[in-house]
Amino acid sequence: MLATPRTTLTVLRPDQAGLLHAYTLRNREHLAPWEPRRDEDHYTAHAAAERVALQAKMFENRLALHLAALDRLSGEMVAACSFTNFVFGPFQACHLGFSVDVRRQGDSLMFEVAQAAVSHVFATYDLHRIMANHMVGNERSARLLARLGFAREGVARSYLKINGRWEDHVLNSLLNPAHLAAESP
């Protein structure tokens, strides 16, 4: 578990699947423009429990790290920060994905959560690069990534099928500061 001023970041346990379920239901409309089209089953308690179990297995196998940000006061899930597609060896990289509760937009909570999570991933997994991509029109994500120090690397056409449409995405990356310091003369 990681602590930020307003949250605790954790990999959810099976008995906490209800937190993910409530977050998913509460943010269904809010996140729909930025996610793949979902069928009704995605919004069930059973599906949330399956996702939590899969996330735990991926964490155990060092393939991914799905962190839920739990509000320190209420205990409810208020954001998600996921690092997926871990690749080790000469590449040493992963992808970052994130979402924040509709009620917490604009209060810098996602920055707080992502900043702590990124530092943890670099330190714990010794990765060289974290990549994060966002739809061309997603200005909130663009501003967040820039604030975190991510550099824009280009645009990938028809990169992901989001809400039923193939969307162009801006490609961004952040290099591990510890690696950069070690490479300096």
Side-chain angles (χ1 to χ4, degrees):
M1 284 205 287
L2 298 169
T4 75
R6 295 178 282 177
T7 71
T8 300
L9 304 179
T10 188
V11 175
L12 293 176
R13 300 181 315 267
D15 64 319
Q16 295 175 302
L19 295 170
L20 177 61
H21 183 231
Y23 179 82
T24 303
L25 289 175
R26 193 170 54 250
N27 291 287
R28 182 176 181 164
E29 288 182 30
H30 164 59
L31 297 177
W34 318 111
E35 293 186 337
R37 188 169 285 156
R38 309 284 190 189
D39 61 22
E40 286 302 313
D41 182 59
H42 178 79
Y43 300 98
T44 65
H46 177 74
E50 286 182 336
R51 284 196 303 281
V52 167
L54 178 60
Q55 291 171 1
K57 184 176 277 191
M58 293 174 80
F59 172 66
E60 290 168 15
N61 291 320
R62 292 178 52 92
L63 298 172
L65 174 64
H66 294 271
L67 295 169
L70 307 182
D71 185 272
R72 284 182 172 232
L73 298 177
S74 70
E76 73 180 345
M77 185 173 168
V78 291
C81 198
S82 297
F83 299 86
T84 59
N85 305 318
F86 279 38
V87 178
F88 296 98
F91 192 41
Q92 296 180 345
C94 71
H95 284 93
L96 164 64
F98 51 86
S99 65
V100 67
D101 193 286
V102 64
R103 300 170 301 175
R104 301 302 293 270
Q105 286 189 105
D107 73 356
S108 293
L109 180 71
M110 194 68 248
F111 175 75
E112 176 184 317
V113 166
Q115 186 177 45
V118 163
S119 294
H120 173 76
V121 166
F122 276 148
T124 303
Y125 296 94
D126 196 34
L127 297 177
H128 181 66
R129 168 187 297 264
I130 296 175
M131 299 167 289
N133 309 317
H134 62 83
M135 287 171 45
V136 171
N138 189 339
E139 290 302 319
R140 280 187 183 264
S141 289
R143 285 192 304 270
L144 172 65
L145 292 171
R147 191 171 170 205
L148 288 167
F150 279 76
R152 180 183 166 135
E153 294 187 326
V155 175
R157 296 179 344 170
S158 293
Y159 186 71
L160 289 175
K161 194 170 188 179
I162 301 295
N163 202 17
R165 289 189 48 203
W166 286 102
E167 297 283 352
D168 296 349
H169 278 66
V170 177
L171 308 178
N172 304 274
S173 71
L174 179 65
L175 301 181
N176 189 333
H179 290 195
L180 296 176
E183 293 171 3
S184 298

